[in-house]
Amino acid sequence: MTSTHPDAGTTHTTPTAMPSSTDATGGRTAPARDGRRRKGHRAGKIAPWALLSPAMTVLLLMTVAPAIYLVWSSLRNDTLLGAGGQFVGLRNYQDALTNPAVLKSLLITGAFVLVAVTVEMLLGLLLAVPLAAQSRSNNLAAALMLLPFAVTPAVSAMMFKELLNPNYGWIDYYMGALGLPAHVEWLSNSGTAWLALIGLDVWQWTPFVALILMAGMQSLPKEPLEAAAIDGASTWQSFRHITLPMLAPFLAIALTLRTIQAFKTFDAFKILTGGGPGASTEIINLGIYRVALQSFRIGAASALAMVLLILLSLLVPLLLRAVGRNADPEEA
Amino acid sequence: MSTVAAPRRAVSRRHPASVAGRVLLWAWLLAALVPLVFMVSTSLKPSGIAKALPPKWLFTPTLEHYQSVLSGGAGTSVGFDRLLFNSFAVTVGSTLLTVVLAVPAAYALSMRSFGPRRGISSWILSTYMFPPIVAVIPIFVFAGKLGLVDKYPVLIVPYAAFNLPIAVWILRSSILQIPYEIQESAMVDGATRFVTLRRIILPLLVPAIATVAILSAILSWNEFLFALSLTRSAAKTSPVGIQEFTGMYGTDWGKLTAAATVIVAPILVMTLILRRRIVSGLTFGAVK
Amino acid sequence: MLSFTPRARRTRSVVCVLGAGALLTTGLAACTPSAGGSDTSGGKPKTLHMLYATAEADAAAVQSLVPAFKQKFGIDLQIDTQPYDALQQKVFSESASGSSYYDIMIVDTPWAPALVGKLEPLSKYINNSKLNDMAKTDVADFIPKVFYDTAVYDAKTPNRHFPQATGAPDTGAITKAGFDVYGLPIQANALVMGYRKDMFNDAKQKSGYQAAAGKPLEVPRTWDDYTKVAKYFTQPDKKLYGTTVMAGVGDWATDDFKSLLAGWGGDGHLVGDDLSLKFDTPEGVAALQYYQDLINKQKVVPPGSTSASWDETASLFGSGKTAMTMNYHPLTLDSGVKGEIGYATVPQGKAMGPHFGTWMLGINKNSVNKDWAYRAITWLTAAEQQVTMTKKELHPTRVSVYKQITGNSDTDAAERNFYQVLGDSLAVGVGRARLTNYTEVSNAIAKAVNTAASGSKTPQQALDGAATEVRRLLTEAGYKVPSS
């Protein structure tokens, strides 16, 4: 029997227990009159769907419906103003998948997600340890920690851009003052442009990971750790063999959410580099935006979008299964 | 050897790892606050010294940039006060819609007699991965055809759709934490599903709903791509508007940072106040 | 003990929820600012709706004319201004949906090839004397290159340019050649060189330059001199540089390059009417080489130039960091910088072909007030109004207007300087290729320019790469590219 959630503050009176039996699946059979049970049973069948349908409608409208349109449109050479509009079969897909620029941008997107999420997970874990440990000064720490997460991504991208300006930016100035190489043209070289973009993402999202892991650590029972300490285990050993495994569900949540979010990144890349220098930071989202909303070649853009969607559909369920296994509350 | 009276910490406070951890934490925090400090301080600096190097720390603050931005006289196509209002309207609307949709759905998905519940839950969570850039194409085309562009619902409904997966997940986890016996008793007493939802579940769900509302509000307030593509002037929100402070004629640091601060301030304040809600919400799914 | 009543309660709850939902949505829809529509009684409308840009086309100038418009026409001119990205999306989606809301829409030249079918052809309006009662259209007064490049299109083959693009525009000749006029140009931006007059006039600088280069310090007229002067003024330790470039990935880099390409004798359109590529040529390589050397060998540009766009360039010159610059609008110096700005046309190579970017006012084919919309745009682009608007920094499109401004001794000298140079530049400027997917093509070329500018590829390699990509893009957009 699960305990009441710690945050449920409302008190309520437990209704007088009525004799009821539970069958194997957890459903109930009530000792009521036949008529009512039949009604209740039917209502029990319709009710979930009725409750679910508004949300499902919106989701279907925003995901399945667009996907259907995209599939249809990707098989044609539609443009927004009506030129084209003929069925062209798989040609848009062929164009997309044989275009080295497109393939490169898919790789770049994948590389960005991989690096950014890895750094954020590691850094988040590192920061979660001190965050979880103390209490008083940590209220302040945790509060400050969360601030970057709340800043509008478009705004933070603009702030970073100004800070990195090699002529006026603070970063350039203080790096010089500290003796580090100055006048780094951050956005002019692909290596430093990558550093800037990953840095921005890490700045914005590490708090998210750190706080999830912190909450996880704080909710872990103390006994195993204390027992291990008594048995003479080192800090590292108890961390690795006790804390980490117990933290698994939290790590899974953080990893999955962050990975999905990372694939959606758009603002930072558009504002900081626009895909440059060269094509080194051209993630697939920028390409889709350009073809769809600046060239208005809807058919071609739809094919690109479908390629992205298919890739995500293959990748994400793998991650979700990991989360699901660890985090489904019904799997006790 | 047993421990004496006070329970011994697993890691002592003066352990080098602990000290290093704290140093790292505060170093990170200080570094992470730099962009925010830059933003706020530059917004208060008179234009002449904004770009001065070394950055000036002692200066007479001025509110001229805020005045200029908020009075709509900053040369943007839509007054910033209007943009803030639009952001507010869209955020409130989408948050309300998210909660109204997610609560019944989460309840439905917690009913043990509802067979497909696990499958549908997984599907809902998986819609979280649907990239907005992909969805924006057909929505842009059809919103244009149906004349829905630049109206609040064209942002409110998609934002609700973006928020739903996480909202349903958090709420469902919360409902599953409520002892099933309570629901059982109510139903045995003759309550229908809807009444159970309203009288029993809802009061217990208030904290989780608060979390969902906050997370939705943050996402809706900060959203950029859909607002960029689907609004023009009437419903334009502030993240899109801030782009106009940099353009062909150069970047006005004072106005840009003032606008940035104005956009970011409400969310920052709310986040500071409601930090615990946000974190507990994100870990609902894993707390057993 | 909790008690419940059966079905009635449930139904009521359902109704409550649905009702609340309906109220919510209706309430939100009602709160939405409404779009409205232009009212017309078949005759003169009460309002005309115009979609316009913001600073890129000097919206403030046009907005200042609204009261005078009301006085002359008795019609309210409602102007909606949008920044570039949003403007393009709006123009396209309004046209696609067949909306009649906007009577007049501003069109940036690269959009026109795709939009031609949705704009009203104006030749029959121009020839109709009854519709020219509010203002004289005087098509012949428009700067020829600007007019032909901006407003004259062949609806059947939109990528064609008008063959004889010299001489005063004549509607008859235009229609005879199978073209038509699709708008009236209102704003013309061209690449113009700006420089610090005070630095060039400074005695110490003059003698220093004379000593270093063996010739007097003058505003450079050749690209060679441009490099020499820029090099002279570059003192990195004092954070001073010779000039600026816009080598970041974006349209601005393409525009920098095509201007240089024209200067080296190439075709600044980048892609010909026959869809052959004009940049992957010896002239293109030479031009790009010059650009690369300017940045990497001579090092006369400030740090960050290979990620710079319009705004950084304007900021850099404005804060006094460079002696020269190239940009598309009049420049200002920051409050802390004491100096004077002069303007000149870009240097001359084998030829001169600064990039120009122009805007025209077109009439929505679906508008229900086309006659009055036509009268409105003739009045807005008429000589008298353009002169008025130059007070708010409009960049005019008529020959007579330039003559008037530059001949008027009352005008501020710096302003006269700018308009003289702008007018001269527009007379020889080069527009863009007319491609429906110009944004993508420009992006491919900008990437190549940026890569060469940063030194990671040789100009030949970069341009070859861009050529392959552009050929692919043209084929994808449905064009038949000639095999090279």
Side-chain angles (χ1 to χ4, degrees), chain A residues 7-12, chain B residues 178 195-209:
Chain A
D7 264 20
T10 336
T11 49
H12 56 275
Chain B
I178 300 174
V195 180
T196 316
L197 173 61
R198 212 179 79 209
R199 289 268 185 96
I200 311 275
I201 307 283
L202 223 41
L204 295 176
L205 217 45
V206 167
I209 292 179

Side-chain angles (χ1 to χ4, degrees), chain C residues 384-403:
Chain C
E384 193 186 326
Q385 274 65 254
Q386 287 203 15
V387 172
T388 317
M389 288 198 280
T390 53
K391 303 229 183 346
K392 298 258 176 176
E393 300 195 350
L394 181 88
H395 300 164
T397 52
R398 286 179 177 276
V399 174
S400 63
V401 175
Y402 280 95
K403 277 212 185 86

Side-chain angles (χ1 to χ4, degrees), chain B residues 44-46 59-64:
Chain B
L44 296 168
K45 283 185 191 171
F59 55 90
T60 35
T62 168
L63 286 177
E64 58 174 341

Side-chain angles (χ1 to χ4, degrees), chain A residues 9 72 93 108 124 133-134 145 159 185 276 306 311 325:
Chain A
W72 180 76
Y93 289 95
I108 288 178
Q134 307 166 278
M145 191 83 192
M159 294 299 113
E185 299 190 30
M306 282 308 296
L311 281 175
R325 227 181 311 123

Side-chain angles (χ1 to χ4, degrees), chain B residues 18 24 43 137 142 221 252 284:
Chain B
S18 168
L24 176 66
S43 69
I137 302 173
F142 282 102
W221 185 271
D252 185 321
F284 268 38

